[in-house]
Amino acid sequence: TSDEVVITKAAKLLAPPDLIIQDELHLISGPLGTLVGIYESAVDALCAREIDGVRVRPKVIASTATVRRASQQVRNLFDREIAVFPPSGLDTSDSFFATEAPDEPGRTYVGVFGPGKSIKTTLVRTYGALLGRANFEHISDPSAETDAYMTLVGYFNSLRELGGAVRLVEDDVPSRLRTLKRREFCDNRILYENQELTSRKSSSRIADVLDKLDRTFIDVKEREYPIDTLLSSNMISVGVDIDRLGLMVVSGQPKTTAEYIQATSRVGRRYPGLVVQVYNWVRPRDISHYEQFRHYHSTFYRHVEATSVTPFSERAIDRALPAVLVAHTRLSESELAPESGAASFDPDTESVRSYVKFLIDRARSVARHGDDVADDLSQQLENLLFVWDRLTKDPNGLVYSHRGQDKKQKDETKRKATLLRPMEQESARGEWRVAGSLREVEEEIPIVLIDYVNEDS
């Protein structure tokens, strides 16, 4: 009605986050961790705020299964000192914050070494024995405890090895099961559902596989048959939290102890787990691990490799610095946020200069040769600011990416200048190449095989 009065109130900007929870810190290493360390500088600067004249950064709480050289990793990633929580107690089984429960389920590790036989033959016989006997025990006692061993998870270090095992599971393992039945080792078992969990599957299909893993062999429903065998790469190491899994076969010793611990921890969560490590006898590293099997598995947390993170190395700066500069600048000033805001950039504003100083100080604190790295970084930042400032003078205007272009404008001479272009699209327009995802940290190299014919032959 005409008597209504509408009262509006100006919205205040929300305070930036003051607490960051980082899970699986040990996985942020190598090329991924190196780029994360640079991108984290933009997050850190955007979350910082002034309180009573003091610059306060957010608190970071990170969980990790790796503690060797964790202080250096945290320094390189977050530019912070580390404080381990909970602290060590007087007794390894009782640290006040956590106590060991001897009756709780754990994992038993078994090593299989078949000298003189191929790794494929050893795998077929191991898979057949485990699948057949698990089915025999489940028929005798159809309970949740025996159901944990009905799904066999096979772990492989490479997609090439996994691809070869797919054919074994489809052909050789069923034949081996029939042989074991004739020897009265187990009852007949037909493998209806064989799946793989690798990067070759799309995200939607991976979600379907994870849903099927929750299905049990107790009261199997029509068209909802559980998974008999799951062949997986290191994708299973993170994010697969299926409590019912209890049986895993690892083909070959994984490249790192951290990966070995993460992968085998997927089984034995609710019920006791069994991990069978099948070693390749032609590999000296596998032989060494087999010979030291008991000692290694009783102390393998000591063998966890130290992580490597070098955020301000030359190649990392080349690939990530333009994107980090644009990200911070665009998010720190509201007028620079739209696509067309790129044309309003001024390299002499306080926010830009303060971030440049922040980056240089961070490089000096984090890098091994801090002063030299900081000087080089300062020069590269000035070059980037100069190029961006020059592009703002384009008579047609400047946008951040192709999304800011006028789709109806067909005349190339009248199109706006573009600041960023996708790293994976070589033909795209744009001054700086930036990654759309940190999955693109390592560039692919095309290899062309050319048939060579010897003229003398």
Side-chain angles (χ1 to χ4, degrees):
T1 63
S2 58
D3 296 334
E4 289 181 347
V5 178
V6 178
I7 300 176
T8 59
K9 184 178 180 180
K12 296 182 179 179
L13 292 176
L14 296 176
D18 54 8
L19 178 64
I20 297 175
I21 306 295
Q22 174 63 63
D23 193 17
E24 306 283 3
L25 178 66
H26 54 279
L27 298 178
I28 309 180
S29 61
L32 173 64
T34 296
L35 283 193
V36 168
I38 299 181
Y39 278 89
E40 194 64 36
S41 64
V43 176
D44 208 12
L46 290 168
C47 292
R49 50 180 168 170
E50 296 284 340
I51 300 179
D52 297 333
V54 179
R55 185 181 180 88
V56 179
R57 297 189 295 170
K59 180 183 289 295
V60 179
I61 298 178
S63 65
T64 176
T66 307
V67 293
R68 287 189 63 189
R69 289 176 58 186
S71 58
Q72 183 175 346
Q73 182 191 15
V74 170
R75 166 64 67 183
N76 293 337
L77 284 175
F78 304 109
D79 190 24
R80 287 167 170 79
E81 299 297 331
I82 189 174
V84 178
F85 176 87
S88 300
L90 300 177
D91 188 351
T92 57
S93 63
D94 185 356
S95 64
F96 178 78
F97 300 97
T99 58
E100 289 185 5
D103 296 332
E104 290 298 314
R107 282 176 294 278
T108 298
Y109 289 83
V110 177
V112 175
F113 190 71
K117 299 292 184 180
S118 69
I119 183 68
K120 292 183 178 180
T121 300
T122 307
L123 279 178
V124 168
R125 295 186 176 185
T126 303
Y127 275 47
L130 293 174
L131 288 168
R133 198 62 187 182
N135 184 60
F136 179 84
E137 297 295 337
H138 185 67
I139 292 176
S140 303
D141 178 21
S143 62
E145 288 80 359
T146 57
D147 173 75
Y149 306 97
M150 288 293 289
T151 297
L152 188 151
V153 179
Y155 177 87
F156 296 85
N157 297 302
S158 67
L159 292 179
R160 180 182 61 84
E161 295 175 354
L162 187 146
V166 171
R167 184 60 56 198
L168 297 180
V169 171
E170 292 176 351
D171 296 335
D172 295 357
V173 173
S175 175
R176 182 65 182 176
L177 286 170
R178 290 191 292 270
T179 300
L180 294 176
K181 180 181 183 299
R182 289 196 301 269
R183 297 177 181 177
E184 299 182 354
F185 178 79
C186 62
D187 295 323
N188 187 33
R189 179 174 183 179
I190 301 176
L191 306 180
Y192 293 102
E193 191 74 28
N194 304 313
Q195 295 285 345
E196 67 175 75
L197 188 64
T198 65
S199 58
R200 299 189 295 187
K201 284 184 175 290
S202 62
S203 300
S204 59
R205 296 182 64 189
I206 289 175
D208 293 338
V209 172
L210 296 179
D211 290 339
K212 290 181 180 179
L213 280 175
D214 276 322
R215 299 175 183 174
T216 68
F217 285 81
I218 305 173
D219 300 328
V220 178
K221 298 180 181 178
E222 186 178 358
R223 297 184 180 180
E224 292 187 4
Y225 197 81
I227 293 178
D228 291 291
T229 62
L230 176 71
L231 306 182
S232 65
S233 62
N234 58 2
M235 181 178 288
I236 199 174
S237 303
V238 181
V240 180
D241 301 322
I242 309 298
D243 291 341
R244 62 170 289 268
L245 297 178
L247 180 61
M248 175 178 285
V249 176
V250 182
S251 176
Q253 181 66 31
K255 297 179 178 62
T256 64
T257 301
E259 174 64 23
Y260 184 48
I261 295 173
Q262 282 291 112
T264 57
S265 297
R266 301 304 109 183
V267 300
R269 295 190 165 211
R270 180 179 299 176
Y271 305 106
L274 176 62
V275 178
V276 180
Q277 172 71 63
V278 178
Y279 293 100
N280 191 340
W281 67 276
V282 300
R283 295 177 181 174
R285 183 169 176 268
D286 281 28
I287 296 175
S288 175
H289 276 274
Y290 177 74
E291 292 174 345
Q292 303 293 328
F293 185 85
R294 183 181 295 275
H295 172 73
Y296 174 74
H297 283 83
S298 60
T299 61
F300 58 13
Y301 283 99
R302 296 183 190 174
H303 302 281
V304 171
E305 297 78 10
T307 55
S308 173
V309 178
T310 54
F312 289 99
S313 56
E314 293 183 4
R315 298 286 75 80
I317 292 177
D318 292 341
R319 294 178 71 88
L321 192 59
V324 171
L325 176 62
V326 173
H328 179 273
T329 304
R330 191 174 182 180
L331 294 173
S332 60
E333 300 291 341
S334 58
E335 61 269 17
L336 298 178
E339 283 286 345
S340 59
S344 303
F345 173 75
D346 182 359
D348 296 322
T349 58
E350 181 182 355
S351 61
V352 173
R353 285 297 160 186
S354 64
Y355 182 59
V356 168
K357 182 179 183 302
F358 175 83
L359 267 178
I360 295 173
D361 293 341
R362 191 183 184 101
R364 184 175 285 108
S365 171
V366 167
R368 186 174 183 181
H369 303 287
D371 292 336
D372 295 338
V373 173
D375 292 341
D376 293 341
L377 181 64
S378 176
Q379 185 60 50
Q380 292 191 50
L381 284 170
E382 292 300 329
N383 293 339
L384 293 176
L385 295 178
F386 174 79
V387 171
W388 193 350
D389 185 47
R390 175 175 57 81
L391 290 174
T392 60
K393 308 300 191 297
D394 191 291
N396 294 328
L398 175 67
V399 292
Y400 285 109
S401 66
H402 69 279
R403 291 191 295 269
Q405 296 285 357
D406 184 4
K407 303 299 187 298
K408 299 180 181 179
Q409 180 58 262
K410 303 300 181 182
D411 189 353
E412 290 292 333
T413 61
K414 296 183 179 180
R415 293 178 71 86
K416 299 177 181 179
T418 307
L419 187 62
L420 307 175
R421 61 187 173 98
M423 187 170 290
E424 67 276 8
Q425 298 179 12
E426 294 291 340
S427 61
R429 297 179 62 215
E431 185 69 23
W432 297 328
R433 295 177 63 198
V434 297
S437 167
L438 288 187
R439 293 179 181 271
E440 302 162 10
V441 294
E442 294 180 294
E443 191 170 3
E444 294 182 354
I445 301 176
I447 298 178
V448 179
L449 298 178
I450 301 176
D451 292 334
Y452 175 76
V453 179
N454 193 341
E455 295 179 356
D456 297 334
S457 60

